[in-house]
Amino acid sequence: MAVNHVVSLDSEGHLIYKGLLTAKEIATIDDILNALKAEIPQIEADLESVYGQSVMYKYNLGLFLGSLLEKHGITIAERRRFWDEIKTFATKEDRKRDEGANSVTRSFYQQCYILSQQDKEVVEKLTWRQWQDILDRVGNREDERIFQWIRQVPGKIREDDWREFEKALHLYLKGKDTSVFELDELFAIYDSLMMMVRIWRSKFKEFSEQHPKSAKIKTKGTWAKKYYARCFALKKELRTKVITEDICNQAFSELMDL
């Protein structure tokens, strides 16, 4: 039976147990925490010595965390508390990123664990920062076939392309159920979204060079969203299955008054 982890620290850094626990339950929790204190810092140090802070460090850490979940019988419902226990009691790493009090999706250890569930070939396509983008946006990875698409993209994906792709995908997915698409149809959609954001980046760079005093340069993010929305609207008006290059060019010209 899985252990219910109810441990915290008092103002002086001492362990306190919340709720009514038997001596046996406290001993079991102590055993787990002592194991974590011994294992986590060592495995983090070992992995960093081999991989630095690269995405493969996080991938291999996730594999180790998966073994801990199985070893200690941690259920899905208990995972967030388990990750918090590692962060509070075991790790020596100072992770400054705000994970949010109630968001399991932003937990560093949860994200490492999810990453480890992917094939190594897929993991290597993106940097850790790029993986955090998709792991933070649950809706973008709800259809897990996106990982199959990432696998077949030639080479690694540029960070600036990926950042815009994630934004565009988030907008595209609102109110949509991608499970209705066959795999080739879904891949075509993802390909068209990537083409759309690459055209945006290229054309906006050219626009900025030709119109250096334009107020639109300072609000690039706002205009990117307008551009994506216009591309989606034109796709609907023209009744095309995917966004085309002509649609992208037309949307950009309309918005930038070219």
Side-chain angles (χ1 to χ4, degrees):
M1 185 174 181
V3 177
N4 184 26
H5 301 286
V6 284
V7 185
S8 62
L9 293 175
D10 64 17
S11 59
E12 298 180 352
H14 299 134
L15 288 175
I16 57 175
Y17 302 92
K18 299 178 182 179
L20 298 175
L21 299 175
T22 66
K24 182 177 180 181
E25 287 173 326
I26 291 177
T28 302
I29 293 173
D30 282 341
D31 287 343
I32 293 176
L33 289 177
N34 287 332
L36 292 179
K37 288 177 183 179
E39 295 176 8
I40 293 294
Q42 186 61 56
I43 194 69
E44 287 181 331
D46 290 346
L47 290 174
E48 185 171 6
S49 69
V50 176
Y51 301 105
Q53 286 292 328
S54 71
V55 69
M56 294 312 298
Y57 166 95
K58 282 77 175 183
Y59 169 77
N60 284 283
L61 178 58
L63 291 176
F64 175 73
L65 294 171
S67 71
L68 290 183
L69 294 180
E70 183 175 351
K71 177 180 178 181
H72 297 300
I74 308 300
T75 67
I76 293 177
E78 293 176 309
R79 282 180 190 171
R80 178 58 203 242
R81 191 170 296 218
F82 189 64
W83 307 138
D84 286 345
E85 286 174 6
I86 295 176
K87 181 180 178 182
T88 303
F89 305 114
T91 184
K92 293 181 180 178
E93 295 285 346
D94 181 18
R95 309 195 188 281
K96 298 179 180 179
R97 186 171 186 251
D98 181 16
E99 297 181 351
N102 300 311
S103 177
V104 68
T105 62
R106 288 179 63 87
S107 165
F108 171 77
Y109 293 106
Q110 168 74 356
Q111 292 189 339
C112 288
Y113 171 70
I114 293 174
L115 189 67
S116 73
Q117 304 307 294
Q118 307 305 321
D119 292 338
K120 183 179 177 181
E121 293 77 10
V122 176
V123 173
E124 292 176 322
K125 288 282 185 177
L126 303 175
T127 65
W128 173 240
R129 180 174 177 178
Q130 289 170 300
W131 275 110
Q132 282 185 310
D133 286 341
I134 194 170
L135 294 173
D136 284 348
R137 295 178 184 266
V138 179
N140 285 14
R141 58 181 169 86
E142 190 170 8
D143 190 328
E144 293 191 354
R145 291 179 294 174
I146 192 171
F147 301 117
Q148 294 177 251
W149 176 77
I150 293 172
R151 175 199 288 275
Q152 57 84 51
V153 173
K156 293 188 176 182
I157 303 174
R158 288 173 54 120
E159 286 214 7
D160 42 12
D161 285 342
W162 181 257
R163 187 163 51 250
E164 291 302 320
F165 174 80
E166 277 282 280
K167 294 175 185 176
L169 181 61
H170 180 69
L171 293 173
Y172 173 81
L173 289 176
K174 286 185 177 179
K176 288 186 174 63
D177 177 12
T178 58
S179 66
V180 301
F181 297 120
E182 297 293 335
L183 187 63
D184 60 339
E185 293 176 313
L186 188 62
F187 279 17
I189 291 170
Y190 291 149
D191 287 340
S192 70
L193 292 179
M194 183 59 79
M195 177 198 66
M196 179 181 72
V197 302
R198 285 173 172 165
I199 288 177
W200 161 256
R201 287 201 318 100
S202 175
K203 284 186 170 294
F204 193 87
K205 179 182 178 182
E206 183 179 342
F207 174 85
S208 301
E209 293 170 349
Q210 294 177 353
H211 306 85
K213 296 183 179 180
S214 173
K216 293 178 180 178
I217 296 176
K218 296 182 179 180
T219 53
K220 181 180 178 181
T222 298
W223 287 101
K225 289 182 180 180
K226 290 182 178 181
Y227 163 77
Y228 301 146
R230 184 54 184 151
C231 285
F232 296 149
L234 285 171
K235 171 185 172 295
K236 186 175 181 180
E237 290 172 17
L238 297 172
R239 297 182 179 180
T240 61
K241 291 185 177 181
V242 297
I243 294 167
T244 64
E245 188 173 346
D246 287 341
I247 286 175
C248 295
N249 291 333
Q250 180 179 337
F252 192 89
S253 295
E254 288 179 6
L255 290 174
M256 299 295 131
D257 299 320
L258 300 179

